[in-house]
Amino acid sequence: MPRVQGFKAIVIGISTGGVETLKALLGALPKDFPLPLIIVQHISPGSGRGMADLLDEVCDIHVKEADEQELPVGGTVYLAPADYHLMVEQDGKLGLSTDPPVNYARPSVDVLFETAAEAFGKGLVGVVLTGAGCDGSRGLKRIKAMGGIAVVQNPEDAAASSMPNNAIMAVTPDYIVASADLPRLFIKLSKSE
């Protein structure tokens, strides 16, 4: 069934093996990619803005750390800052929180996914990529319950297969793909009506 207004955002959860995966994925997206990408990458609390700066240098699409009360726009990637949960408020703006870790992580993928599901409903694409543990599974289930699309990296293709495997056990994904096929899928989904 066609979506009247298409998708509004893509949220991504990633952990172990994430930097190389994100370099390849984001590096293959055009500068004018029409959707915002909001990402939680598990990083150590002391990490600075290094990852955002590194990715911004090697990608055509703009990559930055998310700011409090920022309204996400297309052609931009928003990374959760170290030691902050990244959330989407009901009005679609980004929020940051120092609430306790969820799934032993801050930032937590589940926090981003669950808040984004409430804000964007069926206009959301949720993506679980390489990583250890189960962070993202509960949030991906919420995205599906709200009518969004679930995408999971093929566990055999992931540097760490736990997060993808747990996501597949939690929901029936709409797509299970190798990381090399993600840019093409994202471009296809961004053109959905």
Side-chain angles (χ1 to χ4, degrees):
M1 180 172 176
R3 291 168 186 270
V4 179
Q5 297 176 331
F7 293 106
K8 294 179 174 64
I10 296 174
V11 290
I12 299 173
I14 189 164
S15 186
T16 311
V19 176
E20 292 308 312
T21 302
L22 288 175
K23 275 165 91 175
L25 167 58
L26 301 176
L29 294 177
K31 185 176 190 168
D32 62 351
F33 185 75
L35 299 177
L37 294 105
I38 309 167
I39 301 176
V40 162
Q41 155 82 58
H42 291 159
I43 50 178
S44 63
S47 299
R49 297 174 97 79
M51 193 167 113
D53 293 342
L54 168 76
L55 291 171
D56 194 49
E57 284 178 21
V58 299
C59 299
D60 288 335
I61 193 169
H62 180 47
V63 182
K64 67 181 298 294
E65 276 196 0
D67 290 315
E68 180 76 29
Q69 291 299 297
E70 184 170 18
L71 188 64
V73 296
T76 305
V77 177
Y78 301 88
L79 292 177
D83 213 24
Y84 284 89
H85 290 305
L86 176 58
M87 303 168 296
V88 180
E89 307 290 348
Q90 280 303 125
D91 61 4
K93 290 180 180 172
L94 301 178
L96 301 173
S97 159
T98 55
D99 286 346
V102 175
N103 298 315
Y104 308 102
R106 186 175 64 206
S108 163
V109 178
D110 279 336
V111 170
L112 171 61
F113 281 16
E114 290 174 342
T115 58
E118 295 298 323
F120 296 125
K122 66 181 181 180
L124 186 63
V125 178
V127 185
V128 173
L129 301 179
T130 180
C134 65
D135 198 15
S137 298
R138 192 180 72 217
L140 198 61
K141 192 172 184 176
R142 186 75 186 137
I143 289 170
K144 286 282 286 184
M146 296 296 286
I149 295 290
V151 178
V152 179
Q153 181 177 2
N154 186 327
E156 294 176 9
D157 176 63
S161 62
S162 297
M163 275 174 52
N165 274 325
N166 281 306
I168 290 168
M169 286 190 291
V171 301
T172 301
D174 297 283
Y175 301 93
I176 299 174
V177 296
S179 61
D181 297 326
L182 285 168
R184 192 172 341 125
L185 175 62
F186 282 14
I187 290 165
K188 174 185 158 190
L189 293 173
S190 76
K191 294 176 180 173
S192 299
E193 289 299 326

